[in-house]
Each structure stands twice: as structure tokens, then as C-alpha cells.
Amino acid sequence: MLKQKSAVVTGSTSGIGLGIARAMAQSGADVMLNGFGEAQAIEFMRAELQRQYGVKVRYSSADMSRPDQIRAMVELARAEFGKVDIIVNNAGIQHVAPVEEFPDDKWDAVLAINLSSAYHLIKAVVPEMKARKFGRIINIASAHGLTASPFKVAYVAAKHGMIGLSKTVAVELAEFGITSNTICPGYVKTPLVEKQIADQAKAHGISPERVVREVMLSHQARKEFVQVEELAALAVFLATDQAASMTGTALAMDGGWTLH
Ligand code: NAD
């Protein structure tokens, strides 16, 4: 489905990003992995994906809070793959605290990694995509791009911003064969959420089990975590030629959370 294509997936050493990178590789795309982690484990993962799917898989350690490193990652992808057809803005962090206690440095970090990184990556790849009249921009926001929860002021602001960013570039780039769409997942049990369960338990003063049952999955009508593979399949579809007319959308895959 994605043969002859190449993809840069930010924050793909773990969780949803890794699932998307795997699905893109499985569909035939060359893939640039990115994110933090232990060097040996990342190299093992990279080599394994490459071997398993017979595509080029490379890794960039670029810090998504650093625009210069984002541009360097794009240069590396161009050098390795010849072009960048697909970007997936997925890297993200979370911090949970009441607004009046929210640390300013955490606000800055969440906005930089969850929102500004997408702007810098889009800016770096668009001239080339325009010239080749093809591009797929896939943004991973959240149900928190569509609705709010307490104690997540920076995250909710960044994810709402991601949808605005995506809609704007979708309008600007539609005539150049470039689409931009946002996926809005509900809760997925990844390392990011494991940490949140503990943080939310502290913030709400309740047990981790009650956080899952009464805070997280209470919103999701289906009462189950969303699976990484479901999100990855949607991201692959958005990257295909069959999704050419789909642009500017914010697609909820949230077990019915935002129906409320
Ligand atoms: P995760 O913690 O498992 O993975 C996050 C990835 O981002 C990791 O690879 C990490 O190394 C990378 N990362 C963090 N800071 C970075 C930085 N400065 N530069 C480069 N990479 C960095 O999290 P996840 O749950 O897979 O989340 C992925 C995305 O999905 C995030 O944007 C998150 O907001 C969003 N999301 C997650 C859920 C969920 O329930 N897990 C729900 C909705 C949206």
C-alpha cells in the first residue's frame, strides 16, 4: 500500500508512534524512527523492523523541543530515503496538575513537544511535498483535542492547537496533493498513560484502579482502552492514495468518549 513511500514518525520508540511506524513499514514504506530511549534497545527495534518488513528503517534522536534538531532529522531522512512523503506528528508528553500549581517549565515543554514540533516539522517538509505534488501530514492529537479534562491545561491547549494547525495547513496545501488530518485517540494503555494513572491518582487522591475505572474509562462508552493497532491502521489509511480527498479532519477513535 505504501511501497516507494517514506515516512518520518516522531516519538516512535514507544507506544502509539512505534505501532504506527511498524504498520507503515509493514505496508512497504521506509521509516524514520525518532524518540528517546536506551540506545541498544532502539537499535534492536530498528534492525528488527527492517529485517521483518524488508524496508529501510533509520533512527533520529532529534529532540522535538528543538527546531534545529527537527530540521536535521528531515535532512537525515532525505539523505537516507531521497524524499519525505509522510510525516506523523506523534511525539508527546503529559503533565497533570491544577492550573494554579502548573509549573511554567512544564507548560513550555508540553507546548513545544506536543504542538510546536508539528509546526516545525510541517514547515521543513512542505516545500519538497509541494514540488512533488504529494504529501501526507498525520497528526496525533487526542480526545483532549476535542474536549477538556481537569488538571491537563497544557496538554488540552496543545491538542486543541494541533487540530487548528492541521486544519490551516490542510486548506493551504489542498491544491498541492497534500493532506493534513488529525487522529484523536481516547485512552490507550501506553507508558504515557501508565504514568498518568499514577499522577491522576495523586491529583484526585484516589487509587490507581479507581483512576482507570472512574476517571479514564468512565468517559469511553466502550469501557475499553483503544488499541495501538487500531490507530496504526487508521494512520496507514490516511497515508494512502485512497485518502486523497480526506483532509482537515479530526478523526476521533476514542471508544465513544467525545459522544457525551
Ligand atoms: P509514549 O510515552 O509511549 O511515547 C511517547 C514517545 O514520544 C516516545 O517515543 C518518547 O521517546 C517520545 N518523546 C517524548 N518527548 C520527546 C522529545 N522531546 N523528542 C522526541 N521524542 C520525544 O506515549 P503514547 O501514549 O504512545 O503517546 C503518543 C502520542 O499519542 C502523544 O502525542 C500523546 O499525547 C497521544 N495520545 C496518547 C493517548 C494515550 O492514551 N496513550 C491518548 C491520546 C493521545
Side-chain angles (χ1 to χ4, degrees):
M1 261 191 305
L2 299 179
K3 285 210 166 56
Q4 319 284 314
K5 298 279 194 274
S6 60
V8 174
V9 185
T10 73
S12 46
T13 52
S14 166
I16 296 168
L18 177 57
I20 292 175
R22 177 182 299 283
M24 295 261 171
Q26 190 172 19
S27 302
D30 293 330
V31 175
M32 178 65 69
L33 297 173
N34 159 258
F36 299 148
E38 208 261 303
Q40 253 187 328
I42 294 172
E43 174 50 24
F44 180 79
M45 194 188 295
R46 187 202 66 74
E48 183 59 20
L49 286 177
Q50 181 163 275
R51 189 198 56 75
Q52 204 172 351
Y53 301 117
V55 294
K56 281 189 188 174
V57 181
R58 299 290 183 265
Y59 167 69
S60 160
S61 62
D63 180 340
M64 289 301 108
S65 66
R66 297 276 307 273
D68 56 333
Q69 294 190 19
I70 294 171
R71 289 190 286 272
M73 177 177 69
V74 171
E75 286 313 314
L76 179 64
R78 283 197 188 116
E80 293 289 338
F81 308 142
K83 61 194 173 93
V84 177
D85 299 295
I86 304 159
I87 58 169
V88 183
N89 288 305
N90 167 79
I93 58 167
Q94 174 65 281
H95 187 80
V96 179
V99 63
E100 70 276 23
E101 292 168 20
F102 210 89
D104 291 347
D105 63 335
K106 294 290 185 196
W107 167 271
D108 290 342
V110 171
L111 268 286
I113 295 163
N114 295 23
L115 178 59
S116 299
S117 67
Y119 156 75
H120 292 294
L121 181 52
I122 289 168
K123 197 171 171 185
V125 296
V126 155
E128 175 203 337
M129 287 180 171
K130 265 184 160 175
R132 286 191 296 104
K133 294 234 180 298
F134 182 88
R136 292 288 184 267
I137 299 167
I138 300 165
N139 306 298
I140 308 303
S142 167
H144 282 124
L146 301 166
T147 189
S149 295
F151 310 125
K152 295 185 175 177
V153 67
Y155 188 86
V156 172
K159 296 300 189 183
H160 275 69
M162 182 78 116
I163 294 174
L165 166 67
S166 180
K167 285 163 78 171
T168 306
V169 298
V171 172
E172 276 185 39
L173 303 173
E175 289 181 77
F176 296 92
I178 304 169
T179 67
S180 178
N181 291 285
T182 306
I183 299 175
C184 300
Y187 281 107
V188 190
K189 209 164 187 213
T190 64
L192 180 134
V193 161
E194 303 274 8
K195 180 175 181 302
Q196 262 187 74
I197 294 172
D199 290 350
Q200 288 264 18
K202 204 167 143 205
H204 291 275
I206 57 175
S207 71
E209 295 71 29
R210 280 186 66 194
V211 170
V212 171
R213 206 173 51 247
E214 295 171 22
V215 181
M216 293 184 166
L217 297 187
S218 74
H219 300 298
Q220 292 187 196
R222 197 161 174 262
K223 303 292 176 211
E224 284 180 29
F225 283 106
V226 178
Q227 299 300 308
V228 166
E229 293 73 17
E230 297 172 298
L231 296 163
L234 179 55
V236 167
F237 173 70
L238 289 172
T240 62
D241 289 340
Q242 288 69 36
S245 297
M246 193 172 222
T247 196
T249 63
L251 299 164
M253 189 179 261
D254 63 3
W257 173 353
T258 50
L259 295 176
H260 297 292

